Amino acid sequence: MSEDRTHVRVLDVDPELGYRLDEEERATARRYAVAEVRTLDPGPWEDAFEPPDEGAQVGLLVLDGLLAHELALGSGVCAELLGAGDLLRPWDEYQSQALSGWTASWRVLEPTRLAVLDRRFATVASRWPALLDVILRRSVMRSRSAGFLRAVTHMTRVDDRLLILMWFLAERWGRVRPEGVVVPLKLTHQLLAALVGAKRPSVTTALGELTSSGLIERRDDGSWLLHGEPPEEPGRRREQRERVAA
């Protein structure tokens, strides 16, 4: 982690947090809701499980960047992607886990900034329950996304899993272009395998099939281009392929 530390007005860098406040409340909250910013460079996040400092913490708010959270048990690996707006408390996630034989790790995929929502921030934010409600909702949404990814891993076909995953990522990170929807994430086959609960060779094969079908395209800069429309249901992927080909 970089040693450079700055401070930001949290509602300036994440205005959505204050959307339920009226104009006067938002102006006051903007002035006093300040947080330290820490910067993560790409690579393993070695001290992810260490609290930023002593005392109660609301958590770490991702301001920008991209992180991968991975869990490994035996030969199996699962993963989730975290980005701007996500609330993290990695030091609390595994304290009560007694099962042995598994490991957890965090990886920084793109330069990332985190706002440390510490005790001082919590004291200030407690003046506006609506602000705290929005912050807590971020945790619920992350749990919902993780549940969706678990459901994807139970789908039979790996190509269906990948197609659903790509459109799921497009909902959050996608950019609409005349030629399709661009997902500007440089995801390796290994990481995609962890996201959909498959082996890397199977993912490579499935991506080849999706590319041949005209549904997915890997761009020169490493991002992904999705053609057509989001699949209405996995069983109708062949119909979608035929529409794209036409």
Side-chain angles (χ1 to χ4, degrees), residues 143 145-155 195:
S143 177
S145 295
F148 179 87
L149 288 176
R150 286 197 298 271
V152 167
T153 64
H154 288 281
M155 297 173 67
L195 288 168

Side-chain angles (χ1 to χ4, degrees), residues 218-235:
R218 187 73 180 269
R219 306 209 309 173
D220 292 340
D221 62 359
S223 62
W224 302 85
L225 179 63
L226 309 183
H227 296 287
E229 301 292 333
E232 297 177 9
E233 56 185 89

Side-chain angles (χ1 to χ4, degrees), residues 66-82:
L66 189 67
L67 301 161
H69 179 209
E70 298 176 314
L71 297 175
L73 179 61
S75 61
V77 180
C78 65
E80 63 173 329
L81 295 177
L82 292 307

